[in-house]
Amino acid sequence: MAGTAPSGTSSENIGHVVFITAAAAIGGFLFGYDSAVINGAVTGIQKHFGVGPVQIGFVVAIALLGSALGAWIAGGLADRWGRTRTMQVVAILFAISSVGQALPFSVWDLAFWRVLAGVGIGMASVIGPAYIAEVSPPAYRGRLGSFQQLAIVLGIAVSQLVNYAIAKTAGGNVNNELAGLEAWQWMLGACLVPALLYLLFSTIIPESPRFLVAARKPQEARRVLAEVEGESADVDARLAEIQDSLRSERRPRLRDLRGPKLGLLPIVWIGILLSAFQQFVGINVIFYYSASLWQSIGINQSNSLLISFSTSIINIVGTFIAIALVDRIGRRPLLLIGSAGMAVALAVAAWAFSSGVPSGDTVRLPEAQGFVALVAAHVFVLFFALSWGVVVWVLLGEMFPNRIRAAALSVAASAQWVANWLITVSFPSLAAWSLAGAYVGYTFFAVLSFLFVLFKVRETKGRKLEEMG
């Protein structure tokens, strides 16, 4: 991002914008960390409380219903309290729930704390993209919007690395004790550290200029615009542009989303379906269950956590590819490439899993098919990360008109969490029925996602938020 910045934005301001964006994206880090940390703890929870696949699926997935609730209410809270104040609430929710998850009395107590963490995750999934889109200069908005997904995948990777380190310290068994707590409890409690950092940074970064204009604080909005777009930019013109776009608007409400197609505006349905397809390809099966999945085909606990970490590294690599390309080749081409790559990788994984042979409570794959399954899983994560992982969040932050952005983003993000819950709660039972069959289903949705983008998704590259409609 060095050099002369386009669109009136001076290059010396880009560093400041990057700092603001990165600080806001800590919410995405918490989102990724708290979502994926359960991966390493699943086996420990199951053994500690003596629960079966249905109960453990419920405990893992229940956080996602909390996330749907958090996403649903986040837009209204952000419009009422402001973006940064809402971030502070999210940080507090993460901190409290982290301590609660580390010290549960029962599996149902743990489920409650996971719901509370889920509310924070859902709120972070809305407030991060909205804030980043609103403080980013148009020429950099795609790359800066990608910071949310980069933070998410970093959170996932760090959670897997922390899980692996804790498991190794505990002698390779997550039910072994460390300083009076079992290893899996330390895994769930470690989220307290980034939660406190998020609370700190959310008190430092400026409020969104669009919120300040809506709150009738034009001088503060002018100051923030000068910070992020540079003194050489026509700040007064930008301020007037925002004022014009908001002048005839009132606070967005859910009823503003009503339209002729099944009760909603077409653009809202596109956001909902983008969110649903992002989850229906089964990406979070990898991040929530991969440790137990690899154990089920004969890999020990420590090595399964290390494999989970390797997929997280692939996730980061793919995210950097997306950041490099999203403002160059556009949103639609990346989505199409990703859908095609995911469909092939998932089909190959389904073939490999079809060779599984039951062995007690586990399934054993022949050595060749086991290797193919591992490679296919990594390829799938790569294509997801360089496309749907990043681009959906970028689109959700920028595709809606100003008058409905917060409300529409809340609905779309809520749909994403409901879809995530459906995939997460169903996987243990589907895997027990047919692991290959589950992956055939994810392949089907990857193919559908390609067709959906091809015929229904419009390009938003380079367009100002005020131009969306």
Side-chain angles (χ1 to χ4, degrees):
M1 292 183 185
T4 302
S7 301
T9 305
S10 57
S11 59
E12 62 268 20
N13 287 86
I14 294 304
H16 182 62
V17 178
V18 168
F19 169 77
I20 293 171
T21 303
I26 296 175
F29 180 92
L30 284 165
F31 168 176
Y33 190 102
D34 211 297
S35 296
V37 71
I38 195 69
N39 188 7
V42 165
T43 302
I45 294 168
Q46 202 162 2
K47 290 182 179 178
H48 182 82
F49 293 113
V51 296
V54 174
Q55 292 97 324
I56 198 65
F58 175 82
V59 171
V60 173
I62 191 66
L64 303 173
L65 294 182
S67 298
L69 174 62
W72 186 268
I73 66 175
L77 294 179
D79 284 336
R80 188 174 301 114
W81 297 344
R83 281 46 166 163
T84 55
R85 181 63 58 84
T86 306
M87 289 179 195
Q88 292 161 23
V89 171
V90 169
I92 292 169
L93 286 175
F94 275 122
I96 293 171
S97 63
S98 297
V99 175
Q101 287 183 84
L103 303 170
F105 299 107
S106 69
V107 70
W108 307 116
D109 172 43
L110 175 60
F112 168 77
W113 294 115
R114 284 192 53 72
V115 170
L116 190 63
V119 173
I121 292 170
M123 292 177 69
S125 73
V126 171
I127 194 64
Y131 176 85
I132 291 170
E134 290 176 353
V135 299
S136 300
Y140 293 104
R141 197 175 59 239
R143 278 166 283 181
L144 293 173
S146 302
F147 276 34
Q148 172 79 355
Q149 180 64 16
L150 176 60
I152 292 171
V153 300
L154 285 173
I156 292 170
V158 171
S159 74
Q160 304 310 318
L161 185 59
V162 169
N163 284 352
Y164 175 71
I166 291 173
K168 290 294 285 186
T169 304
N173 190 320
V174 297
N175 289 103
N176 289 345
E177 285 197 2
L178 288 172
L181 298 177
E182 292 187 6
W184 65 267
Q185 293 177 272
W186 286 108
M187 292 175 180
L188 297 178
C191 190
L192 177 63
V193 175
L196 294 177
L197 285 175
Y198 189 41
L199 182 61
L200 172 65
F201 279 104
S202 63
T203 64
I204 296 173
I205 59 177
E207 184 53 84
S208 156
R210 284 175 177 79
F211 172 78
L212 292 171
V213 171
R216 296 183 175 86
K217 298 179 180 179
Q219 294 307 315
E220 291 184 40
R222 180 180 283 106
R223 176 180 56 79
V224 175
L225 285 169
E227 287 180 11
V228 299
E229 300 203 4
E231 295 294 343
S232 59
D234 192 341
V235 175
D236 288 333
R238 289 288 295 121
L239 185 65
E241 188 175 42
I242 295 171
Q243 289 172 329
D244 288 343
S245 71
L246 296 174
R247 184 169 289 117
S248 61
E249 297 171 13
R250 51 188 173 78
R251 193 181 302 278
R253 301 172 187 173
L254 292 177
R255 65 169 171 262
D256 296 330
L257 308 183
R258 292 175 182 167
K261 293 190 176 180
L262 299 177
L264 292 174
L265 294 170
I267 190 67
V268 178
W269 276 118
I270 290 173
I272 289 172
L273 289 171
L274 280 169
S275 291
F277 280 122
Q278 189 197 52
Q279 297 304 315
F280 284 165
V281 296
I283 186 61
N284 281 315
V285 166
I286 297 290
F287 295 121
Y288 298 164
Y289 292 114
S290 63
S292 55
L293 173 63
W294 302 130
Q295 289 170 45
S296 75
I297 61 173
I299 298 170
N300 65 37
Q301 277 193 18
S302 292
N303 286 339
S304 68
L305 290 170
L306 193 58
I307 291 170
S308 297
F309 176 65
S310 71
T311 57
S312 297
I313 295 300
I314 294 294
N315 201 12
I316 294 171
V317 171
T319 301
F320 275 112
I321 293 172
I323 290 172
L325 296 178
V326 67
D327 280 327
R328 294 183 183 179
I329 70 173
R331 285 57 160 159
R332 288 183 77 252
L334 278 181
L335 289 177
L336 292 170
I337 291 168
S339 292
M342 289 190 298
V344 172
L346 287 166
V348 171
W351 169 82
F353 287 134
S354 69
S355 302
V357 178
S359 177
D361 292 332
T362 63
V363 174
R364 291 287 183 267
L365 294 183
E367 185 174 346
Q369 281 85 347
F371 176 76
V372 168
L374 283 171
V375 172
H378 284 74
V379 172
F380 165 59
V381 170
L382 177 63
F383 274 99
F384 176 87
L386 65 82
S387 59
W388 283 78
V390 166
V391 176
V392 169
W393 289 113
V394 172
L395 282 172
L396 291 182
E398 67 185 13
M399 67 186 286
F400 302 114
N402 268 341
R403 68 182 186 279
I404 64 167
R405 179 170 296 112
L409 184 50
S410 289
V411 169
S414 295
Q416 184 170 134
W417 290 114
V418 171
N420 193 341
W421 176 78
L422 287 170
I423 292 298
T424 304
V425 77
S426 64
F427 177 73
S429 299
L430 282 174
W433 165 69
S434 172
L435 188 56
Y439 273 80
V440 168
Y442 304 147
T443 303
F444 172 74
F445 283 114
V447 173
L448 279 185
S449 72
F450 182 93
L451 298 174
F452 172 69
V453 173
L454 189 63
F455 294 109
K456 293 296 183 181
V457 176
R458 294 174 57 192
E459 184 60 71
T460 58
K461 172 187 170 184
R463 299 173 62 193
K464 295 179 182 177
L465 293 182
E466 288 72 29
E467 297 173 356
M468 303 299 176

